[in-house]
Amino acid sequence: PQQPLLLGLPLAKSFLRVLRGDLAESIEDLQAILNAEQHCSAPDFRGSAAFRERSLKDLGLEDHLTFSVPLDRDGNVAELLPGGRNVSVTDANKEQWLRAVLRFELVDCLQEAADSFRAGFCEIVSATHLVLLNVDELQEALSGRGTVTDADLRLWQDKTVVSPAV
């Protein structure tokens, strides 16, 4: 049997995709990435099919969204298009807003960190690993499996030497 063993959080798949240069472009891909990062008990409304199918009025979001994203508590915002803080989201431009906001959060915001991580990674390990491994394999290689089997535990116990002084 496998035992869950959380030693730390794994690197987010959205980050690993940006790290690999595998940038999502379509709304469907962006929603899939968003949903993969969400916990089932707290889904993000932007990842649901209902958001795309229903009107903003039906969703209770009419006159509540603009083409901007808050960056901090000081009121600074990132505009998703020029003058975006003054452009309301409507049913007519809802898909454009959805693509822009998800791309901003899941790609653009991660780009600088991913570039820095990649530079450090490539100083130690060849960049070939980033190309040869898919996102799931890269996540396991960098973050571990997240589970420990009984065989893993036995192997660890067999190979571990504990100092009597401890």
Side-chain angles (χ1 to χ4, degrees), residues 11-90:
L11 290 170
K13 289 184 180 182
S14 54
F15 176 79
L16 294 172
R17 284 187 69 149
V18 175
L19 182 67
R20 291 185 72 243
D22 180 16
L23 307 181
E25 293 294 335
S26 73
I27 292 176
E28 293 79 14
D29 285 347
L30 290 162
Q31 283 185 309
I33 294 166
L34 177 70
N35 290 334
E37 303 291 338
Q38 300 300 307
H39 191 276
C40 60
S41 67
D44 190 309
F45 73 93
R46 299 168 305 172
S48 73
F51 178 75
R52 295 176 65 195
E53 296 164 359
R54 296 176 55 200
S55 73
L56 291 172
K57 185 175 185 173
D58 290 347
L59 295 167
L61 295 170
E62 188 174 48
D63 300 323
H64 291 290
L65 303 172
T66 64
F67 276 81
S68 62
V69 178
L71 295 176
D72 56 36
R73 294 177 186 207
D74 295 329
N76 295 312
V77 298
E79 293 187 334
L80 303 173
L81 52 85
R85 72 176 69 209
N86 300 316
V87 178
S88 292
V89 177
T90 64

Side-chain angles (χ1 to χ4, degrees), residues 116-128:
S116 296
F117 189 96
R118 185 183 311 104
F121 183 86
C122 291
E123 284 182 18
I124 299 168
V125 182
S126 168
T128 306

Side-chain angles (χ1 to χ4, degrees), residues 9 20 35 42 61 71 111 113 118 121 133 139 143 151 155 162:
L9 294 175
R20 291 185 72 243
N35 290 334
L61 295 170
L71 295 176
Q111 191 67 59
R118 185 183 311 104
F121 183 86
L133 300 176
Q139 186 179 45
S143 302
L155 178 65
V162 178

Side-chain angles (χ1 to χ4, degrees), residues 150-162:
D150 289 340
D152 293 334
L153 185 57
R154 278 192 299 281
L155 178 65
W156 175 71
Q157 289 170 332
D158 291 344
K159 302 294 181 186
T160 302
V161 178
V162 178

